[in-house]
Every structure is written in structure tokens, then in C-alpha cells.
Amino acid sequence: MSIHTEEYAAEKRAVEQIREGRERILRELSKAVIGQKEVIEQLLLCLFAGGHCLITGAPGLAKTLLVNSIAQIFDLEFRRIQFTPDLMPADITGTEILEESDDGKRKLQFARGPIFANVILADEINRTPPKTQAALLEAMQEHQVTAAGVRYQLEEPFFVLATQNPIEMEGTYPLPEAQLDRFMFNIWIDYLPEDDEVAVVNQTTSRRNEPIEALFTGEDVLQFHNVVRSVPIAEDLVRYAVRLADASRPGRARTPQFINDWVTWGAGLRAAQYLVLGAKARALLHERAHVTAGDIKALAHVTMRHRILIGYRAEAEGVTVEKVIDRLLETIPVPGTE
């Protein structure tokens, strides 16, 4: 069998796994997590596309449980890092320690930090100073850690999910725009509807959760990354994603007036890249072999909400980032409707 034939067979198998796996994943997750289907889908899209994710929500909404459960389904090593004001970069990446060998000689040995895992939950990332936040940057972008001039490669797949609490702003260090831009999605998680909360209370107070079964492996996830990138997309749709991002930037030739009035800083190039990549993953997850404009529109909010900075005039008028994105989707014509 030729190399191309083997690659095609592997990609075909990965596509079938993604299409058949959605319901199986939801079924396994329901053993531990109730509701939050949209949040779960967005997390899966991020994982399939090979991106990182920022999740914003109040405490007690099962963020840690959800991420840990997804790691178990994909048989990935999970680590949780609780960010605090006194956390140091070495507490994340690792540090060199002095060890004595059997022959009595001493030498420096690198002790790996919790960043050396497949799925990292950076809990309350806005609780720690910028120096420690920046320790994640190289790992997220380059999938490597540098300590004492030596580079250590992280094991693939590598997925960072950072949470931040939007309620308590005292003693927090908001993430700078450059670091926010490295997250593929910013997912907002809210309280469950009453029926789902009743189900959660019943489930968690009556019996222990059933163990979650591993459905995939890390190798499967890496294959999913390759397959997602190979999903075809029309150039018109790529141009649509680029125009959405470009129209969010004040002072540009095609910028709508409401953007000039309300927005201080717009979305960069990564927004268009992640819109396209996420749309490809969504097409596969919804059992389609091609991307539609609906895929891009469905991911506009999670992709752009942390990349658009509104100004004082928008705040004075009660305008939110969500409203700005809604207006963008209404203003920028969808391909084929112009």
C-alpha cells in the first residue's frame, strides 16, 4: 500500500470517528456533566482544531469537571494549575534542582512542572501577575518550554483551557490583548436552566458518578487536527471571515460607522484564521464535508468577543461587545446575498 493510500485511509477513518463520535462523547459526558451542550461543542471544536480556549464564568459551574471529563474521554493527561498572586513562572514550567548522583557528584536536573501534560486547566488565570501569565505564552504558541537556555518539547496534543472569574475584579490582573489573542475561543458559561440544576442536584446527592470511558487516544486527536485542516472551504467564505475581522477595526476604508463610534481596537488576523479553522471543525462535527457561511456566523461571537475592545462612548451608551458583533453580522453581507 502506498504512503498516499495509507494517509487517505487514516484521514477517512478520522472523519468517520468525528462524525460518529459526537453522540458518544455527549453520552459519556452526561455521566458527569448535565446540560451546557453549546459549551461542550465549542470546547470540542477547539480541541479538534488544535487551539486553546479561554472560558469566562462564575465559580461553581463545573468548569474543572467538564475539562477533566473531556480529557478522560480522549485518554489525555490532565493537570490543573490554580493561579494565585504568589505563583511564580517556575511553578508552571518547572525548575532546575541540585541532585547528587550515586558516585557522589552533584549536578543540576530539570524537574518538570505541571505544564508538561496534554490538557492544562489554568484556573483563574487573571489572579496572577503578568510575569507568570507570560510563562504560558511560549508553551501555548511554540508547544515548548525553555529553562536555563534549554528547550523542552511538550507532548502532543497540547491544549490549554484558562478560566477567569468576571465577578470579582479586585486583586486581578486582566490579560493583555496580545495574550488574549492566542486563545482561539472565549467561551462564556452561564448558570443552568432550573430543570438542569434540579437534575445536577439529584445526581450529585444520590450516587457516585459512573466512570467515564475513554473513546479516543492522543493519536486520534492529532489525526483530527490534520483532517480538520483538509476540509474544503470556498474562497468567498474565507474572504467573508477576513471581511468580518477587517470591518471590526476602526479607521479602515470599509469600516462601518458604528465601529468607528464604539470600538477602540478591532480583531486581528488570528480572528479570521480561527474563524475558518473553527468552521472547518464544525462542518465535520455536523457531518458535512464542506464549510458553510452558517459555520462562520455561529462561531463569530466566541472567536471575536475577546479580540474587540470597545471604547468609553460604547460603555456610556450601554453597548456591549456582543451587540457590536451582532451588528457586524448584520452589516457584512454573506457571500451569495450581495
Side-chain angles (χ1 to χ4, degrees), residues 9-10 40 45 59 85 90 109 117 140 145 150 155 186 238 283 290 305 318 334:
I40 290 170
L45 292 178
Q109 197 77 3
M140 288 172 61
V145 166
V150 181
E155 187 180 347
N186 179 7
V238 176
H290 63 281
R305 63 167 56 116
V334 176

Side-chain angles (χ1 to χ4, degrees), residues 65-218:
L65 177 63
L66 175 57
V67 179
N68 192 7
S69 300
I70 288 177
Q72 290 180 55
I73 287 175
F74 289 92
D75 198 20
L76 301 173
E77 185 178 356
F78 169 76
R79 296 273 179 87
R80 177 179 177 271
I81 305 172
Q82 179 64 53
F83 281 71
T84 56
D86 60 347
L87 193 73
M88 299 296 290
D91 296 328
I92 298 173
T93 59
T95 187
E96 289 193 320
I97 59 175
L98 193 63
E99 285 190 345
E100 187 171 330
S101 59
D102 295 336
D103 56 4
K105 293 182 179 179
R106 294 182 178 182
K107 62 177 181 178
L108 288 172
Q109 197 77 3
F110 180 67
R112 297 188 169 198
I115 196 73
F116 287 87
N118 300 119
V119 180
I120 304 296
L121 176 62
D123 213 359
E124 293 190 299
I125 192 173
N126 57 337
R127 289 278 173 204
T128 202
K131 182 178 181 180
T132 307
Q133 291 174 358
L136 276 178
L137 281 176
E138 182 187 16
M140 288 172 61
Q141 189 66 23
E142 308 296 336
H143 289 208
Q144 66 180 23
V145 166
T146 302
V150 181
R151 292 180 180 177
Y152 300 91
Q153 206 69 30
L154 297 172
E155 187 180 347
E156 299 289 348
F158 179 69
F159 176 54
V160 173
L161 187 140
T163 70
Q164 57 182 4
N165 184 348
I167 301 172
E168 299 175 37
M169 298 310 293
E170 254 184 75
T172 62
Y173 305 83
L175 290 170
E177 282 68 27
Q179 188 159 339
L180 282 172
D181 196 39
R182 301 191 184 250
F183 289 99
M184 180 174 179
F185 291 161
N186 179 7
I187 298 173
W188 284 3
I189 185 169
D190 205 350
Y191 292 102
L192 292 169
E194 183 178 324
D195 289 344
D196 285 346
E197 286 203 5
V198 169
V200 169
V201 172
N202 279 329
Q203 179 171 306
T204 54
T205 58
S206 60
R207 56 182 171 80
R208 291 188 179 275
N209 290 337
E210 298 177 48
I212 292 178
E213 180 186 345
L215 302 177
F216 306 98
T217 65

